[in-house]
Amino acid sequence: MADKMNLLAWMLFTCHISLVFSNELARGWGDGIAWVKLDDGLTQAKTENKPMMLIIHKSWCGACKSLKPKVEESTAIKELSKEFVMVNTEDDEEPSDSKFTPDGGYIPRIFFLDNNGEVLNDHYNKDGNSQYKYYYYSPDHIVKSMKAVLETLKGDNTATNDEL
């Protein structure tokens, strides 16, 4: 009986450690989402042949603080996130590559990347301000872009399969 209790305690401890680690990467953007670091995400996207959603934000940003709980509460984003490699970079983790500042360095910015790490420039907040294409303030707009990315990639796969 003691062995079973020890095993149960160890399993609970292991689950707790896993949750703490994933919560650390969530940073308030949704504990139920499988967040990964950018470098790991680039590898995972290629390995799993999935697109990536990248959120660039700052801990001190008012707009970021406003969007976080909305994303966390969105069941649609949580469900769609399973089809993506999900990354959020905070503060000094912001990638320095100019492809992530095509229309400025405002925050938050959300980008969609293909499985090779290339920004899908045609996928941005079409319901937002045309001067700040990658700025999202509504989960509905994020969901719309996520669905559009999946549809585009599905279409690309269909075309490739038809050619074979």
Side-chain angles (χ1 to χ4, degrees), residues 15 19 29 41 45 53 65 68 74-75 79-81 84 89 91-92 96 109 129 135 137 140 156:
C15 289
L19 287 174
W29 290 93
M53 183 172 125
K65 289 178 184 179
K68 277 182 187 186
S74 173
T75 55
E79 277 305 305
L80 286 167
S81 75
F84 289 81
T89 61
D91 299 333
D92 294 337
S96 59
R109 296 186 309 281
N129 184 328
Y135 177 79
Y137 55 88
D140 293 339
D156 287 349

Side-chain angles (χ1 to χ4, degrees), residues 2 11 16 27 45 54 58 67 73 76 81 83 86 104 109 114 119-120 140 145:
M11 289 172 55
H16 174 74
R27 300 176 177 128
L54 168 64
K58 304 291 184 188
L67 186 59
E73 293 168 3
S81 75
E83 303 298 321
M86 301 293 287
R109 296 186 309 281
D114 67 16
V119 174
L120 299 170
D140 293 339
S145 289

Side-chain angles (χ1 to χ4, degrees), residues 13-111:
F13 175 74
T14 304
C15 289
H16 174 74
I17 293 299
S18 296
L19 287 174
V20 167
F21 182 69
S22 67
N23 289 349
E24 178 183 310
L25 293 177
R27 300 176 177 128
W29 290 93
D31 290 336
I33 295 173
W35 297 102
V36 296
K37 293 182 178 187
L38 181 57
D39 288 340
D40 296 336
L42 291 167
T43 301
Q44 184 179 341
K46 188 176 247 354
T47 303
E48 296 180 11
N49 195 28
K50 284 184 173 182
M52 178 189 295
M53 183 172 125
L54 168 64
I55 303 173
I56 299 173
H57 62 97
K58 304 291 184 188
S59 58
W60 48 262
C61 166
C64 303
K65 289 178 184 179
S66 174
L67 186 59
K68 277 182 187 186
K70 295 174 188 174
V71 169
E72 185 172 35
E73 293 168 3
S74 173
T75 55
I77 290 175
K78 183 179 176 184
E79 277 305 305
L80 286 167
S81 75
K82 296 173 185 172
E83 303 298 321
F84 289 81
V85 174
M86 301 293 287
V87 175
N88 72 65
T89 61
E90 184 176 70
D91 299 333
D92 294 337
E93 298 170 347
E94 180 176 347
S96 59
D97 193 315
S98 62
K99 69 183 179 182
F100 298 114
T101 55
D103 57 355
Y106 53 88
I107 46 175
R109 296 186 309 281
I110 298 177
F111 292 94

